[in-house]
Each structure stands twice: as structure tokens, then as C-alpha cells.
Amino acid sequence: MRLLRPSGAGPAGGDEDDDAALLRAVARGDSEALGVLYDRHAGWLHARLARRCPDEETVREVLQDTFVTVWRSAGSHRGRGEAGGWLWVIAARRLVDAQRVRARADRAAAPAEPPAPAPSAEERVLAGLEYGEVGAALDRISPELAEVLRATVVDGLTTRETARLLGIPEGTVKTRALRARRELRAALGAGGPYPLGGTT
């Protein structure tokens, strides 16, 4: 499977039902459908990954790994629509994994170096949403609520940007964000350890 370098950096375009149909075709082993999906989404995924990681090589590797994962697990995409949010969840997880691997390699190569700075609040939120107690709680809420929470909290998107990414109205984003925060706080117990506010 050969993936081309992304040619654009805009948000995902096209019809969400069409994306869902492409994912179903990919799940059946259609490599041409994967190529169409890549052409449609690789640009904006590359741009958003680059905002989180300054290393171009890592960004390229993460983008490649993202679509390898899509090829292997397209059948796990649940329901129709919101393919962009599903792709970003995969990409964000691959980025966390890549950064952890790189950090371990750097520590092994230079054991005498002083310890790395503490992770930023954003990095702690991202790690918490993917692993550990918060990650487990997030898995217990509905996928459409979890996608909104990841977009607004993990990626720091505005309501409008989240609506464009997920292909839903802005009012729906706000409603789902409120429901997601309530459900996640209930799963964690009052006063969870991670900030759950979003931007508008």
C-alpha cells in the first residue's frame, strides 16, 4: 500500500455519508477507496498534527501510521458520519505513541542529560484522555459525545471548528459537549483531575 504526501491542509471536505461508504469499502479490502479517503483527509490531518509536533519526520510517520491503522480497522468505525472525528482520534493516539517512543529513545541515547521538562497541561490532558482512569471513563460514554470532547478539550478546537470537523451543527456540538462533560464527571466522580472546559 503506497500513500502519497498530503497536498492540502484544509479541513475535511465532502459528504460524511460518502466517507462512511468509503470506510465500508476499505473494510472490504478496497485500496482505491483508501486512496480517496487519504486524498480527502490527509491534508487537514497533516496540518493539525504539525500544530502539535514541530518534527516533520514524526508528523509524516504518524500520518502514514494513521492510514495503515485505518486500512486494518476500518470495520470498527461505528455508524455513519463523523469519519473525520474518528480519523483524528486515531491520529492523536498515534502521535502520543510516537512521542513516547521518541522520548524513550532520546533518554537512552543521552542518559546524562537533565530530565525533560514536565509535560504541558495540554499533553497531560491528551495522555489522560487516551490512557488511565480518564481514558477508561471516556470509553464508557457514547462515541459521539467522546468525539466532541476530544475535539474541544484535546485538540482545543472552537465550537465552529468542531462542527466543521464532525459535520454537525454548532448547537449540537454545544449540547454534546455539555452532556459529555456531565457523563465523564459522573464516571470519574466529582472533581476529576483533568480540565474539561472547551472553547467557543
Side-chain angles (χ1 to χ4, degrees), residues 93-117:
R93 288 174 175 168
R94 297 289 79 76
L95 181 59
V96 169
D97 292 342
Q99 289 175 328
R100 288 181 173 178
V101 168
R102 188 171 292 271
R104 285 197 295 268
D106 289 345
R107 286 195 298 269
E113 290 288 324

Side-chain angles (χ1 to χ4, degrees), residues 38-197:
Y38 183 90
D39 289 341
R40 180 175 292 175
H41 292 283
W44 69 265
L45 282 169
H46 183 277
R48 290 174 67 187
L49 287 167
R51 285 169 52 192
R52 290 190 163 275
C53 176
D55 184 73
E56 177 63 22
E57 181 182 353
T58 298
V59 170
R60 284 197 303 266
E61 290 174 357
V62 168
L63 188 65
Q64 185 89 358
D65 288 347
T66 296
F67 282 91
V68 169
T69 301
V70 170
W71 175 252
R72 293 173 177 168
S73 61
S76 69
H77 178 250
R78 287 177 281 185
R80 298 173 61 184
E82 303 186 358
W86 184 72
L87 288 169
W88 175 244
V89 168
I90 294 172
R93 288 174 175 168
R94 297 289 79 76
L95 181 59
V96 169
D97 292 342
Q99 289 175 328
R100 288 181 173 178
V101 168
R102 188 171 292 271
R104 285 197 295 268
D106 289 345
R107 286 195 298 269
E113 290 288 324
S120 68
E122 181 182 66
E123 290 168 336
R124 290 196 299 272
V125 170
L126 178 57
L129 284 172
E130 302 303 339
Y131 304 99
E133 183 182 359
V134 179
L138 195 64
D139 287 339
R140 292 197 293 270
I141 71 176
S142 59
E144 65 271 13
L145 300 185
E147 284 182 338
V148 167
L149 200 60
R150 284 187 172 103
T152 56
V153 176
V154 176
D155 201 38
L157 298 183
T158 65
T159 298
R160 178 174 299 178
E161 289 169 335
T162 300
R164 290 185 66 187
L165 170 65
L166 300 182
I168 57 178
E170 291 182 34
T172 303
V173 171
K174 293 178 181 179
T175 300
R176 289 184 182 179
L178 288 172
R179 286 176 54 203
R181 292 181 192 116
R182 282 198 301 267
E183 289 191 17
L184 189 59
R185 286 191 177 109
L188 287 169
Y194 294 97
L196 299 177

Side-chain angles (χ1 to χ4, degrees), residues 1-17:
M1 180 179 58
R2 179 174 175 269
L3 300 180
L4 302 176
R5 179 180 176 81
S7 58
D15 184 81
E16 287 291 348
D17 289 340

